[in-house]
Amino acid sequence: MEIFRKRFRKIPALKISEWEVLNLPHSWNSTDATDVEPGYRRNASWYAKKIKINEVVLDQNYILYFEGANINSKVFVNGTLAGSHIGGYIGFEIDITTLIHTGENEVLVRVDNAYDPEVIPSQKSDFFIFGGITRDVWLVTKPKTNIGDLKITTPAVSNEKATLNIEATLNNVENNSNLSLTASLKNPKGVEVATQSIPVSQSNTTILFENIKDPELWDTQTPNLYTVNVSLVENNEVKDEVEERIGFRWFEFVQNGPFYLNGKRLLLRGTHRHEEHAGVGAAMSNKQHRADMELMKEMGVNFVRLAHYPQDPEVYKACDELGLLVWDELPWCRGGVGNETWKTNTKNMLTEIISQNFNHPSIIIWSLGNEIYWLPDFENGDDRTEINSFLTELNNLSHTLDPSRKTAIRKYYEGSDIVDVFSPSIWSGWYSGSYKSYQKAIDKYKKEYNHFLHAEYGGSSHVGRHTENPITGEGLIKADEWEEAIVQTKVSNIAQIGDWSENYIVDLFDWHLRISETDSTFVGNIQWAFKDFGTPLRPENDIPYMNQKGLVDRNGNPKDAFYVFKSYWSEVPFTYIESHTWTERQGPKDLTRTISVYSNCDKVAFYHNNVLLGEKERDISKFPASGYTWDVNFTEGENKLVAVGIPTNGTQVSDTLAVNYRFQKNDTAKELTLSYKLLENGNYLVTATAIDKNGLHCFDYEKRIYFQCLSGGELLKSQGTPTGSESIGMANGKASIEVIPSEKNMNIEVMVLNQSFKGTYLTIYK
């Protein structure tokens, strides 16, 4: 949808003459949030769109449906305020029927993401609040007599039979005696299995389908979706029609025990998702949303926590279709409890979330917030009595709107007995303690909380940073702790003293998964987070303003840790040699190095320079890599490593890795060098390398460097990715950035520097 934007400058929008042409979805913070300058723009912008209507049809409603706009919005049509909405991350409708005319109509939208303590989430949250019309907008036409809403429930479901209840809200049906409502139900193959038609004369109508025999159940392996079609008919003519896809399933959180879906124990294998991507921020396309969810499914995920806010409709659609259970979250993230206006806004948002997402079979939990007592925005906002009172109100509201699903909250201990499902804070091996304390933590909380689901664990990793001996904190930290402190200044933990290497995070996740996969009474856990994401609270990270805890980078490229999860969770055979971002190594001659292979195959054979080093069987009780480790005595120069996975059934799979190994240890870094290569997209990848006095690559140099393009092009910067950040910490003595050429025949000049090295220049001749 082509639209226009102009920064709001306290002038009437109708007088604006200069507009920037763009397409939706859009955010004015797409790169502003992740550039190297502190802060990001937090105020209002205007959007304008000319809508040509050839003929305004009588007895028809015209509605603008916004899938989401951050944070507060006002919509004007032909100079008149048509409506407004408070809060981002959720859809809203604006009826423009009375304001339009035949011909060209002007729509103006003012969107504002300025600081507003009365609207959640809190500004102290650990993520950017992107401003703009960040999701799609639709012009919807409906007859004046129409189907307003469908609320579909499955009151009884078993393997043998099921019941389906349809509650329809109808508009403008009074005083019309010729109306009927027809509903049909089609199975996943498109075969009609039930139909019913009833006369209607009032706004609320119910249709009940009973005794649906042998329902094809929705689950994470076979997410069978039925289609419900509801038609409003007048004198045999269909006036309005709505279609929904639903699933038959039931679930249970056993007290102090595991989770069951459709009567079978299911270990919840979860991750978290923030809604953003490199270059666009929160203004992601449907294709990008879908790609995220498909990549999760490829890794073996069966559960996703949408943190810390409801997400694009495409995400829920994908979860329904792919078989991903959902924890949907109200964005009460930090800030404590607010004033009466804040409370009203928060309750309205919860009502909108549940109402709009009600029919999705993937959703099993409505979360009421995260770290809600942290960093209060209002005086006495952290008062536990006040928080508990309001949390109880939200919990009751949720169960009134939807009795069939559970409520949850994370890291608010005083409210753990208010909601149905609770997650304490367990950050073993990152914000506190050693990852080897994880078993002790979950054993404690399984007994302490009736329905305990562990949300958030993991740590940061910088792509390409590796070490032979990751810092584990042994002897430096208290091993048996796992709680995250609000203020980290007096805390000693791996987040502060660690190396942020991919090696360490691989080990941390491997340890966690080895425990969760072998505990028969554990509900499951939810890794934090699937993809690197932006945050205003982390300017000093190796990639500035990036939370680097993702299993994939902000472009969706898998890190090593992705394959650890895949080895435990995926059923598609694969092998992965750790690590494809560690192809240059060093060490004394004849010193063996342990190589790990992550695979879900029953057996793996490993080769070094075409010599078989052995064949091993998978044993997930062994650490690391379920026993798939081999000691390799590298030769100087290029070494060829091959891992061949041998599944019980199916074709063999393999992975090959070339490692350049040297016996000479590098000295202290003396300078930075620059090199480049031409990419398939026509850009250049410029790489800085730290070298010593002998010209050896310094694998231990990790200082921050700064790229500049002086002429002939521009840096692909502010992406928050390993090759899209002008300021970046080096990984094993290397860092790269993409350069976009400006003209075909113009030379490109690039430089790199930091406080130690005052400038290295590279000219790309064309």
Side-chain angles (χ1 to χ4, degrees):
M1 180 181 180
E2 190 177 82
I3 204 159
F4 305 90
R5 175 183 63 85
K6 182 71 178 181
R7 183 170 177 176
F8 181 57
R9 296 174 180 168
K10 296 185 178 180
I11 59 174
L14 291 170
K15 296 182 180 180
I16 295 173
S17 59
E18 297 178 4
W19 295 87
E20 174 188 348
V21 181
L22 50 83
N23 290 313
L24 296 181
H26 170 265
S27 172
W28 56 79
N29 302 123
S30 290
T31 55
D32 159 55
T34 50
D35 62 24
V36 294
E37 297 181 15
Y40 63 111
R41 187 162 78 81
R42 301 291 305 280
N43 50 27
S45 282
W46 285 94
Y47 292 82
K49 175 69 178 177
K50 302 287 188 180
I51 300 178
K52 186 177 181 180
I53 300 176
N54 293 329
E55 180 184 1
V56 175
V57 180
L58 296 177
D59 296 325
Q60 185 165 274
N61 291 341
Y62 293 79
I63 297 165
L64 287 175
Y65 168 51
F66 293 77
E67 292 182 356
N70 273 9
I71 288 288
N72 298 327
S73 307
K74 292 183 178 180
V75 180
F76 299 81
V77 176
N78 294 326
T80 301
L81 178 65
S84 60
H85 186 259
I86 296 174
Y89 308 108
I90 196 67
F92 60 95
E93 293 183 345
I94 303 292
D95 192 327
I96 62 173
T97 306
T98 61
L99 301 176
I100 59 172
H101 52 248
T102 297
E104 193 172 78
N105 296 265
E106 183 175 51
V107 178
L108 294 169
V109 183
R110 185 182 187 272
V111 185
D112 191 350
N113 72 330
Y115 171 68
D116 187 347
E118 293 182 333
V119 179
I120 56 175
S122 169
Q123 316 299 311
K124 297 164 184 173
S125 298
D126 196 3
F127 54 89
F128 286 113
I129 300 174
F130 291 93
I133 303 178
T134 55
R135 296 177 187 165
D136 295 328
V137 181
W138 303 86
L139 175 61
V140 180
T141 59
K142 295 181 179 181
K144 288 193 181 297
T145 301
N146 62 67
I147 302 170
D149 182 49
L150 293 183
K151 185 176 179 181
I152 303 172
T153 56
T154 53
V157 181
S158 69
N159 289 300
E160 293 75 29
K161 61 181 181 179
T163 301
L164 183 77
N165 189 67
I166 304 169
E167 294 181 19
T169 301
L170 309 176
N171 296 317
N172 301 312
V173 297
E174 293 81 3
N175 303 318
N176 192 330
S177 60
N178 299 315
L179 289 175
S180 63
L181 197 68
T182 299
S184 69
L185 178 67
K186 293 181 180 179
N187 69 15
K189 298 179 181 64
V191 177
E192 187 174 86
V193 296
T195 185
Q196 191 176 148
S197 183
I198 60 172
V200 293
S201 58
Q202 54 187 14
S203 58
N204 296 312
T205 302
T206 299
I207 292 179
L208 181 66
F209 289 135
E210 294 183 289
N211 199 26
I212 301 167
K213 294 182 179 180
D214 302 319
E216 298 178 57
L217 300 180
W218 185 98
D219 63 32
T220 58
Q221 294 295 318
T222 53
N224 293 308
L225 291 171
Y226 283 68
T227 301
V228 174
N229 182 282
V230 178
S231 301
L232 186 62
V233 181
E234 182 179 16
N235 296 325
N236 296 319
E237 179 186 350
V238 175
K239 302 290 291 183
D240 194 17
E241 188 174 26
V242 176
E243 190 171 275
E244 292 276 3
R245 301 177 78 192
I246 62 97
F248 291 103
R249 53 97 180 108
W250 77 95
F251 65 90
E252 178 188 8
F253 287 88
V254 175
Q255 184 167 328
N256 303 109
F259 173 80
Y260 282 79
L261 179 64
N262 301 333
K264 299 177 182 178
R265 191 248 171 161
L266 178 70
L267 176 67
L268 296 182
R269 295 165 165 169
T271 189
H272 293 76
R273 181 185 192 260
H274 265 291
E275 189 169 273
E276 62 167 81
H277 193 82
V280 298
M284 296 175 65
S285 67
N286 285 347
K287 183 178 179 181
Q288 289 171 325
H289 288 302
R290 180 78 185 199
D292 275 0
M293 311 318 292
E294 288 180 349
L295 192 57
M296 290 181 193
K297 190 68 177 181
E298 177 190 328
M299 192 178 78
V301 168
N302 63 21
F303 185 86
V304 59
R305 178 184 178 212
L306 301 179
H308 294 291
Y309 39 80
Q311 301 191 6
D312 191 281
E314 186 67 19
V315 173
Y316 301 97
K317 179 175 178 285
C319 290
D320 289 345
E321 295 172 350
L322 296 172
L324 297 172
L325 293 164
V326 172
W327 164 315
D328 207 6
E329 189 154 292
L330 175 73
W332 184 8
C333 185
R334 303 183 179 177
V337 68
N339 59 20
E340 290 305 313
T341 300
W342 178 95
K343 291 178 181 178
T344 298
N345 290 337
T346 300
K347 286 186 288 187
N348 287 344
M349 181 172 284
L350 178 61
T351 300
E352 289 177 324
I353 293 169
I354 295 176
S355 298
Q356 293 182 33
N357 295 331
F358 188 90
N359 294 333
H360 290 286
S362 55
I363 298 174
I364 61 171
I365 287 175
W366 304 117
S367 170
L368 305 181
N370 175 72
E371 299 171 354
I372 60 177
Y373 66 100
W374 276 28
L375 308 170
D377 289 321
F378 294 82
E379 186 176 357
N380 299 320
D382 57 352
D383 182 273
R384 300 306 195 264
T385 301
E386 288 295 318
I387 292 177
N388 279 1
S389 175
F390 187 66
L391 180 61
T392 300
E393 192 174 348
L394 290 181
N395 189 66
N396 293 338
L397 175 61
S398 177
H399 284 305
T400 298
L401 294 170
D402 183 5
S404 69
R405 292 183 173 99
K406 303 299 182 183
T407 58
I409 203 160
R410 179 189 170 271
K411 200 180 179 183
Y412 177 58
Y413 296 91
E414 292 87 347
S416 62
D417 60 344
I418 295 175
V419 295
D420 302 316
V421 178
F422 178 68
S423 173
S425 176
I426 309 173
W427 280 94
S428 301
W430 191 250
Y431 287 124
S432 189
S434 163
Y435 57 71
K436 294 181 179 179
S437 69
Y438 188 55
Q439 182 73 66
K440 184 175 181 179
I442 64 172
D443 285 346
K444 168 182 169 62
Y445 292 135
K446 279 192 298 183
K447 297 175 182 177
E448 192 167 333
Y449 302 110
N450 289 338
H451 301 128
F452 156 56
L453 171 58
H454 177 207
E456 297 193 21
Y457 69 100
S460 299
S461 62
H462 192 41
V463 172
R465 182 172 292 168
H466 298 276
T467 176
E468 304 289 354
N469 299 294
I471 296 173
T472 63
E474 292 185 15
L476 302 173
I477 59 175
K478 295 179 180 179
D480 283 342
E481 295 182 348
W482 49 76
E483 176 70 50
E484 176 189 8
I486 299 177
V487 180
Q488 299 278 317
T489 52
K490 294 183 178 181
V491 177
S492 180
N493 55 34
I494 299 299
Q496 294 180 327
I497 68 172
D499 48 37
W500 288 37
S501 67
E502 292 198 74
N503 311 70
Y504 175 77
I505 292 303
V506 161
D507 288 346
L508 181 148
F509 285 131
D510 195 354
W511 187 273
H512 279 71
L513 291 170
R514 185 180 62 86
I515 290 171
S516 61
E517 291 291 316
T518 56
D519 189 331
S520 62
T521 62
F522 190 34
V523 168
N525 49 27
I526 317 169
Q527 175 270 342
W528 180 272
F530 186 68
K531 184 163 69 173
D532 287 354
F533 63 93
T535 165
L537 306 186
R538 300 171 189 264
E540 298 175 359
N541 281 4
D542 284 307
I543 301 178
Y545 299 104
M546 277 295 111
N547 188 316
Q548 294 177 246
K549 295 185 181 73
L551 304 179
V552 302
D553 70 18
R554 202 167 179 244
N555 257 330
N557 300 308
K559 304 181 189 180
D560 285 347
F562 175 91
Y563 298 99
V564 181
F565 283 84
K566 190 173 181 179
S567 71
Y568 281 97
W569 292 354
S570 176
E571 294 182 359
V572 179
F574 85 102
T575 59
Y576 178 80
I577 303 171
E578 185 194 1
S579 159
H580 285 240
T581 58
W582 197 12
T583 57
E584 294 181 88
R585 300 173 70 166
Q586 67 183 6
K589 185 178 181 180
D590 296 327
L591 175 66
T592 59
R593 299 294 193 188
T594 300
I595 302 296
S596 294
V597 175
Y598 286 90
S599 176
N600 56 1
C601 295
D602 302 295
K603 295 181 181 179
V604 170
F606 189 80
Y607 297 82
H608 174 222
N609 292 338
N610 300 316
V611 176
L612 177 64
L613 298 190
E615 182 180 294
K616 295 186 178 182
E617 293 187 357
R618 186 167 184 260
D619 182 353
I620 65 171
S621 68
K622 293 182 178 179
F623 175 84
S626 297
Y628 285 156
T629 62
W630 284 266
D631 290 335
V632 176
N633 191 355
F634 283 104
T635 58
E636 192 162 27
E638 185 170 305
N639 293 257
K640 181 182 178 182
L641 306 178
V642 178
V644 179
I646 309 168
T648 302
N649 298 306
T651 307
Q652 292 185 357
V653 292
S654 65
D655 187 35
T656 301
L657 179 65
V659 176
N660 196 315
Y661 201 85
R662 71 181 187 215
F663 296 150
Q664 184 177 357
K665 189 179 187 300
N666 62 265
D667 205 337
T668 304
K670 183 182 179 182
E671 64 175 312
L672 300 175
T673 63
L674 286 173
S675 60
Y676 73 92
K677 69 176 181 179
L678 179 64
L679 300 174
E680 290 183 359
N681 62 6
N683 296 342
Y684 293 90
L685 186 68
V686 174
T687 299
T689 304
I691 62 172
D692 68 5
K693 62 183 179 182
N694 300 313
L696 291 178
H697 177 183
C698 297
F699 298 140
D700 55 356
Y701 191 76
E702 299 177 353
K703 299 293 185 181
R704 183 177 302 279
I705 61 169
Y706 303 85
F707 288 102
Q708 296 179 37
C709 185
L710 303 177
S711 62
E714 61 178 324
L715 302 178
L716 181 64
K717 60 184 181 180
S718 306
Q719 303 294 297
T721 64
T723 59
S725 301
E726 60 185 309
S727 168
I728 189 169
M730 299 195 93
N732 284 41
K734 277 191 175 182
S736 300
I737 195 165
E738 222 173 302
V739 178
I740 306 167
S742 56
E743 296 180 17
K744 287 186 177 180
N745 298 318
M746 185 175 183
N747 294 337
I748 300 172
E749 191 169 18
V750 180
M751 74 171 295
V752 66
L753 54 78
N754 66 8
Q755 191 165 349
S756 298
F757 306 114
K758 308 306 179 185
T760 300
Y761 297 82
L762 169 71
T763 301
I764 302 174
Y765 295 97
K766 302 179 66 180

